[in-house]
Amino acid sequence: MPNPTDTDSPAIQGDIRLDSSVKSTMYYIGGVPVHFPFVPYPSQLGMMNHMIRALTKAQNTMIESPTGSGKSLALLCATLAWRQSFVVRQRKMQENVRQIITRFCMHNTTLLRSRYGSNGTDADPDKKPDADPDKKPDAMETDAWEKPDILSNNYSFVTLQARAQTLQSETVDFILDTSKKQTLVGLSKDDLATLGEYQDAGKSATQRPRIFFGTRTHKQVAQLVNELRSKTPYRLRTAVLGSRAQTCTHPKAKRAESVDDTCRQLRDDNNCGAYTGFRRVLGSKKLAEGGELEIWDLEDIVSVARPLVACSYYASRELAATAKLVFCPYNYILDPAVRKAAGIELEGNIVILDEAHNIENAARDAGSFEVSDLQLASLAHECSGMFDHGILRNEHLVLKSLADTLAAWLQRDGAAFEYCDYETQTSVWPKPECSVDTLLTDLALTPDYISQVKSAQAKIEDYIASLRTQSNEHGPEDPELLPRDKHVSAGALRVVEGLLRVLKHVAHGSKFATDFRIAVVRHPNPELRTSLKRKRQSAFESKPAFINTLSFWTMNPGVVFSEIAEQTRSIVLTSGTLSPLDSYASELQVDFASTLEANHVIAPSRFCALAVECGPSGVRLEAKYRTSDQLEFQDDVGEAIRAIAARSPDGMLVFMPSYALLNKLIARWEATGRLAEIRSHKTVFVEPQGGTKDQFDKLLLSYRKHLSEPNETGAVMFGVFRGKVSEGIDFSDHFCRTVVNIGIPFPAFKDVKVMLKREYNNEHTMLLNGSKWYDIQAFRAVNQALGRCLRHKDDWGAIIMLEARFVQNANIARLSKWVRGHMRVFGRFEDAKQYLDAFYDERISEDAKDMPQVLDAEENVTIVLDE
């Protein structure tokens, strides 16, 4: 255990304050003083030490730490403590360099005048001072870097010294170069070594690293903000980036089907008083340093902005530009277009991506682009309108031509599709008879034409920016300055921007040219799927029967991720379920110098993990495509679930590989009466396929409410791997005492994207082969589902794998470290049940004294939402 020191010890002089009202203890970890709110778990110490070493060495790292191990708190404290220490070292070095330059100036005036005097100087008179975040140049220093008066060479020593200090990097280079030719008076070897260290540090000698902390959802962002604000003593300027849906306060936009599009239209038409006044939020004392909302969440900034009739969305972006720590959903970092729109600059900064188990898929999605023929038709229509109004006619004609060409090609008759399923038809390039280069040439998408499109887009964007500037100058009193018929929509420009981005990558000679697949996907128009909607259409024939989508799918997540890695100081990937770790470095094309798999904070006696080969009737439990159709398998799985439900207290989760298998088993158990037997022990909830977020939230609330009421039997939730239940939801304590996994959730074998990805990996020897990649996707989904229970150190629960393939050591090895080290394998269900019963009896006995008196249970029911 590192040596603790009371918080009352002298504070570190960095640019992050420590709130003395928040109880904490200081630990030296990796040579850095870390303030932590309580005695850290061993796993937290390991995480913080690992994190600090990676940041110090400017390396990328991966950290897997089970949910409930205090991962978020450890990451926040370690990162902020390291940054504090780094800034202190920067300031010390800069002060040392200033003193060395002062001594050089005092003892080497001839050299000083030859360098910075007007006669014979080779200094760049237009060069601005070196950036110093701690210091603003005074008037004398400002004069020192202006162009010298060439008619005078009577510079004072003070002026020359000020110029030398102001152009610090240039002066250091001059001193070191000169020291190789002659001995410099007043400077020691240690002084020159210090200057050499400063020179080697480059930009990092003066740049204060900013921290971008990304996670999967806005809800998880809110949890991180609360951890920082309520549990740590660190106080600094923070910001949160969120969507318009979370932050917009305009009544019309909030009611609109698309908040984004309505917001942009209101802004461009100058009809949003909140937007024109968003800077009023920036002056709020609540959000200022030391204010009650210095560390704020989206709800906080909305509460500040609403009374001021100001826009919290644009205010949050403005505040993020200067914040030391920025929280955001990680698509803000991954997606190049979103990153650009949000103004996120990654050069020399630190990126932490939490819940990063899906980062490979997220990065592939961020690097891909899709546009439908309906979107292209809309783009062409808008450009035609601008042409008719005489607005940048040539430029809008170029964009209209692009949209018309692509739409006509998508809708052509006689198109051949090599991939066909029940509703969707797909054609993919390159083909044996047609390369991507040939396809682009056939579509006239030559480099010269793409250059014309890019030029036209730039001129149109400049034109819209000038309109907006004029609008802002006149103020909100003149709402007609930016009418809709004067410019194309933001949505239209996003289509052009997306096309230009992917066309740059697929063009001949691009280093990513072979990493993309171009596809045409044809599927039924969803607006015409139901007879009810058809009856409501007054002009049914005006609705196309099919929608055609042009897709640019990247097979390589490194297309976007390698660019991020090239800019940042360090990238940290972390999750409770990163395992298996094999593919991240090759898939993301990033070197991870270190990895850490932390242990769980829960004592081994408080959880058990079992793998069962055969069911109660001796049927081998292997939920493959062929065996899952066998009635003997379905019945034995049902009996196993019934037996476990009869003994498992409180909440229970059961995960299956697909909705098809889930629906098949539920239907069989309903027909045989097995579901009624399960229902006699627990109320049954079934995760619906599809449905809205509100529907799922209602189902989850019912599940939690049922378990929160006095009840002898509890509840069971049936869900699927990768579904809503399996990711990102906290089922702590009585909400989940048992997790049952059935099968292994391999991706859909015949899914076009999956087939293309497997083929791509097989063609690139630097990557895991297609089969290994395919396997890893399945086991990551399993590990994510396992993390739904055991959420804190006092929690307890059981993990049961009703799948024969998990008795194999090779498959157990792919589970997270905290599970695989405790997995017990049973050939017979009876033996596993006996062990499980003993575990339940022991845990229930220990908890009995704390359990409230229970009432008679009401009759249980099955609750499932309609799709």
Side-chain angles (χ1 to χ4, degrees):
M1 172 71 70
N3 190 28
T5 306
D6 292 340
T7 304
D8 295 335
S9 60
I12 301 174
Q13 296 302 308
D15 59 356
I16 299 176
R17 295 177 296 107
L18 294 172
D19 187 345
S20 59
S21 67
V22 179
K23 180 66 177 176
S24 66
T25 302
M26 189 174 75
Y27 298 85
Y28 276 96
I29 303 174
V32 171
V34 180
H35 293 260
F36 207 72
F38 50 79
V39 178
Y41 304 134
S43 61
Q44 289 177 314
L45 287 173
M47 276 187 281
M48 289 190 283
N49 184 58
H50 188 86
M51 185 84 167
I52 287 170
R53 291 184 183 278
L55 295 178
T56 300
K57 296 178 182 178
Q59 294 176 338
N60 304 317
T61 189
M62 291 188 287
I63 300 174
E64 180 184 65
S65 183
T67 302
S69 59
K71 168 171 55 71
S72 299
L73 187 60
L75 292 176
L76 286 168
C77 289
T79 306
L80 296 178
W82 174 85
R83 188 187 182 282
Q84 183 84 314
S85 177
F86 181 80
V87 169
V88 170
R89 292 196 304 273
Q90 277 186 325
R91 287 178 169 175
K92 288 180 179 178
M93 176 183 286
Q94 287 173 315
E95 181 57 32
N96 288 338
V97 169
R98 289 191 188 103
Q99 293 176 9
I100 293 169
I101 290 176
T102 297
R103 291 198 295 274
F104 166 78
C105 294
M106 292 177 62
H107 296 283
N108 301 272
T109 54
T110 301
L111 288 172
L112 177 66
R113 189 170 295 279
S114 71
R115 179 65 177 177
Y116 292 116
S118 62
N119 294 331
T121 179
D122 60 354
D124 182 358
D126 292 323
K127 184 174 180 179
K128 298 301 181 183
D130 291 341
D132 184 346
D134 299 323
K135 185 178 181 182
K136 295 181 180 179
D138 57 25
M140 183 273 293
E141 287 178 321
T142 302
D143 291 340
W145 54 262
E146 294 297 335
K147 289 184 179 180
D149 182 356
I150 61 173
L151 299 178
S152 171
N153 60 4
N154 296 320
Y155 285 100
S156 70
F157 171 78
V158 173
T159 300
L160 293 174
Q161 178 175 302
R163 183 172 296 165
Q165 292 286 8
T166 303
L167 301 175
Q168 194 174 78
S169 295
E170 185 176 317
T171 303
V172 169
D173 293 343
F174 174 67
I175 294 173
L176 290 174
D177 289 343
T178 305
S179 69
K180 298 174 184 177
K181 306 171 187 175
Q182 66 183 80
T183 301
L184 298 176
V185 180
L187 300 189
S188 66
K189 291 182 179 180
D190 288 343
D191 290 337
L192 295 176
T194 298
L195 296 183
E197 182 182 351
Y198 176 88
Q199 187 183 60
D200 292 342
K203 289 183 179 180
S204 67
T206 54
Q207 181 183 358
R208 305 286 190 259
R210 302 174 68 209
I211 302 159
F212 292 91
F213 204 128
T215 190
R216 206 164 54 89
T217 65
H218 286 292
K219 182 179 179 181
Q220 289 163 338
V221 167
Q223 292 169 348
L224 287 168
V225 171
N226 184 60
E227 289 265 292
L228 176 64
R229 181 164 50 191
S230 64
K231 295 182 180 179
T232 82
Y234 294 102
R235 295 294 177 264
L236 70 163
R237 180 174 294 182
T238 66
V240 178
L241 291 172
S243 67
R244 288 177 172 86
Q246 265 90 21
T247 53
C248 181
T249 57
H250 195 288
K252 181 178 179 181
K254 291 294 286 183
R255 292 193 303 267
E257 182 177 349
S258 172
V259 178
D260 285 354
D261 290 344
T262 307
C263 167
R264 292 188 181 99
Q265 190 58 54
L266 288 167
R267 180 199 65 184
D268 289 349
D269 290 348
N270 206 12
N271 280 334
C272 182
Y275 168 69
T276 58
F278 77 86
R279 288 183 175 83
R280 289 191 286 267
V281 177
L282 309 184
S284 170
K285 293 182 179 179
K286 291 183 177 180
L287 301 175
E289 183 175 319
E292 62 183 281
L293 295 178
E294 178 182 9
I295 299 173
W296 50 268
D297 190 14
L298 293 179
E299 291 183 0
D300 298 322
I301 197 168
V302 169
S303 70
V304 171
R306 184 177 283 112
L308 299 174
V309 193
C311 177
S312 52
Y313 175 76
Y314 284 99
S316 65
R317 294 199 168 198
E318 190 82 5
L319 290 168
T322 56
K324 300 179 178 74
L325 171 60
V326 178
F327 296 102
C328 59
Y330 57 53
N331 69 298
Y332 281 63
I333 298 170
L334 294 178
D335 192 308
V338 177
R339 189 166 70 240
K340 177 183 176 182
I344 295 176
E345 298 290 342
L346 298 179
E347 185 69 37
N349 293 322
I350 296 164
V351 168
I352 303 172
L353 299 176
D354 196 11
E355 299 296 326
H357 49 277
N358 287 329
I359 204 69
E360 292 175 14
N361 294 334
R364 275 198 302 274
D365 290 344
S368 301
F369 180 73
E370 296 183 344
V371 60
S372 71
D373 51 359
L374 298 183
Q375 290 174 297
L376 291 168
S378 177
L379 170 61
H381 177 75
E382 291 189 37
C383 290
S384 180
M386 297 302 104
F387 182 88
D388 292 343
H389 281 82
I391 300 172
L392 295 178
R393 301 185 74 180
N394 290 337
E395 286 73 17
H396 285 105
L397 189 60
V398 170
L399 299 192
K400 180 180 183 301
S401 173
L402 172 68
D404 284 338
T405 299
L406 294 178
W409 180 70
L410 286 173
Q411 296 167 350
R412 70 195 187 282
D413 294 329
F417 296 94
E418 57 266 34
Y419 301 98
C420 300
D421 61 20
Y422 178 67
E423 286 190 330
T424 304
Q425 300 169 297
T426 307
S427 186
V428 178
W429 286 262
K431 304 177 187 292
E433 70 278 9
C434 183
S435 67
V436 168
D437 287 343
T438 301
L439 174 65
L440 296 179
T441 301
D442 290 346
L443 292 173
L445 295 176
T446 62
D448 288 343
Y449 182 69
I450 293 173
S451 179
Q452 291 180 40
V453 174
K454 188 174 182 180
S455 175
Q457 177 212 28
K459 291 180 180 179
I460 291 171
E461 287 184 339
D462 289 344
Y463 163 74
I464 295 174
S466 69
L467 289 181
R468 189 168 294 125
T469 300
Q470 295 172 25
S471 172
N472 291 338
E473 288 175 353
H474 286 77
E477 293 81 11
D478 189 358
E480 299 302 321
L481 281 173
L482 207 58
R484 189 166 187 172
D485 60 357
K486 294 296 184 184
H487 67 92
V488 295
S489 67
L493 289 177
R494 287 199 302 274
V495 168
V496 178
E497 182 180 358
L499 283 169
L500 286 173
R501 176 169 58 84
V502 290
L503 287 172
K504 176 186 70 174
H505 288 319
V506 301
H508 181 74
S510 165
K511 69 176 182 177
F512 296 123
T514 62
D515 296 326
F516 280 81
R517 300 293 180 265
I518 300 177
V520 173
V521 182
R522 179 170 294 175
H523 60 84
N525 189 337
E527 293 186 24
L528 306 179
R529 281 186 175 176
T530 67
S531 59
L532 177 63
K533 286 186 177 180
R534 288 173 182 167
K535 290 176 182 178
R536 290 177 178 174
Q537 295 295 334
S538 58
F540 172 72
E541 64 280 358
S542 67
K543 296 290 183 180
F546 293 92
I547 291 178
N548 302 280
T549 301
L550 174 61
S551 302
F552 296 82
W553 295 328
T554 177
M555 302 291 103
N556 177 12
V559 169
V560 297
F561 210 86
S562 60
E563 178 186 354
I564 295 171
E566 288 169 2
Q567 298 179 48
T568 55
R569 176 186 177 91
S570 293
I571 295 176
V572 181
L573 300 186
T574 178
S575 177
T577 51
L578 283 177
S579 295
L581 303 176
D582 307 26
S583 67
Y584 287 103
S586 61
E587 284 287 319
L588 299 176
Q589 296 184 3
V590 172
D591 177 30
F592 290 95
S594 59
T595 61
L596 174 68
E597 293 181 87
N599 292 315
H600 213 303
V601 296
I602 294 177
S605 62
R606 299 188 68 82
F607 75 94
C608 72
L610 314 177
V612 186
E613 184 174 8
C614 297
S617 300
V619 175
R620 183 174 170 80
L621 300 177
E622 198 168 19
K624 292 184 176 179
Y625 179 75
R626 293 178 180 176
T627 56
S628 62
D629 279 338
Q630 297 172 1
L631 299 183
E632 295 86 352
F633 168 82
Q634 297 175 13
D635 292 343
D636 230 22
V637 170
E639 173 56 22
I641 296 294
R642 184 209 62 78
I644 295 169
R647 287 304 316 274
S648 172
D650 304 319
M652 174 174 161
L653 303 178
V654 181
F655 293 107
M656 301 187 192
S658 66
Y659 287 106
L661 180 59
L662 172 60
N663 295 333
K664 184 186 301 181
L665 292 181
I666 292 292
R668 172 64 180 176
W669 299 341
E670 187 80 64
T672 61
R674 189 73 72 203
L675 189 62
E677 294 176 5
I678 295 173
R679 193 180 297 126
S680 69
H681 301 293
K682 292 192 181 297
T683 298
V684 175
F685 295 77
V686 181
E687 176 184 354
Q689 183 175 5
T692 65
K693 181 179 182 298
D694 288 342
Q695 286 178 315
F696 176 74
D697 289 345
K698 189 179 298 184
L699 177 70
L700 188 60
L701 180 63
S702 297
Y703 175 84
R704 292 185 183 279
K705 184 177 180 181
H706 180 80
L707 288 169
S708 298
E709 296 173 351
N711 192 294
E712 290 183 350
T713 56
V716 56
M717 173 82 79
F718 288 94
V720 299
F721 297 103
R722 302 187 188 90
K724 296 183 179 69
V725 176
S726 69
E727 296 203 24
I729 298 179
D730 185 349
F731 291 98
S732 60
D733 300 315
H734 64 285
F735 292 119
C736 180
R737 293 300 186 196
T738 305
V739 172
V740 179
N741 287 345
I742 297 170
I744 300 177
F746 292 102
F749 192 80
K750 294 186 178 181
D751 180 90
V752 175
K753 288 186 181 180
V754 172
M755 288 191 288
L756 293 174
K757 175 60 178 170
R758 293 185 67 171
E759 292 172 2
Y760 172 86
N761 277 41
N762 286 333
E763 294 167 0
H764 293 75
T765 55
M766 67 171 62
L767 303 175
L768 295 177
N769 67 48
S771 295
K772 288 184 178 178
W773 171 86
Y774 185 71
D775 290 349
I776 281 175
Q777 308 313 303
F779 286 93
R780 284 213 184 114
V782 170
N783 286 323
Q784 186 64 15
L786 297 182
R788 292 315 91 208
C789 71
L790 305 175
R791 309 291 291 187
H792 57 85
K793 72 179 182 65
D794 295 320
D795 208 348
W796 66 268
I799 292 170
I800 306 164
M801 318 296 280
L802 292 182
E803 171 56 57
R805 285 169 287 181
F806 277 108
V807 303
Q808 301 169 12
N809 290 332
N811 289 331
I812 293 175
R814 294 174 175 179
L815 299 177
S816 294
K817 178 182 177 181
W818 66 274
V819 178
R820 63 176 180 258
H822 300 276
M823 182 66 70
R824 290 177 176 268
V825 174
F826 294 90
R828 300 188 327 138
F829 179 81
E830 291 78 5
D831 297 334
K833 179 68 165 48
Q834 184 177 0
Y835 180 85
L836 186 62
D837 289 347
F839 171 77
Y840 286 143
D841 289 341
E842 181 180 356
R843 300 300 347 142
I844 292 171
S845 176
E846 289 192 13
D847 287 355
K849 59 183 179 180
D850 299 323
M851 292 180 64
Q853 183 179 0
V854 296
L855 304 176
D856 292 337
E858 297 179 0
E859 182 181 358
N860 292 310
V861 296
T862 298
I863 300 176
V864 58
L865 295 179
D866 294 332
E867 296 178 17

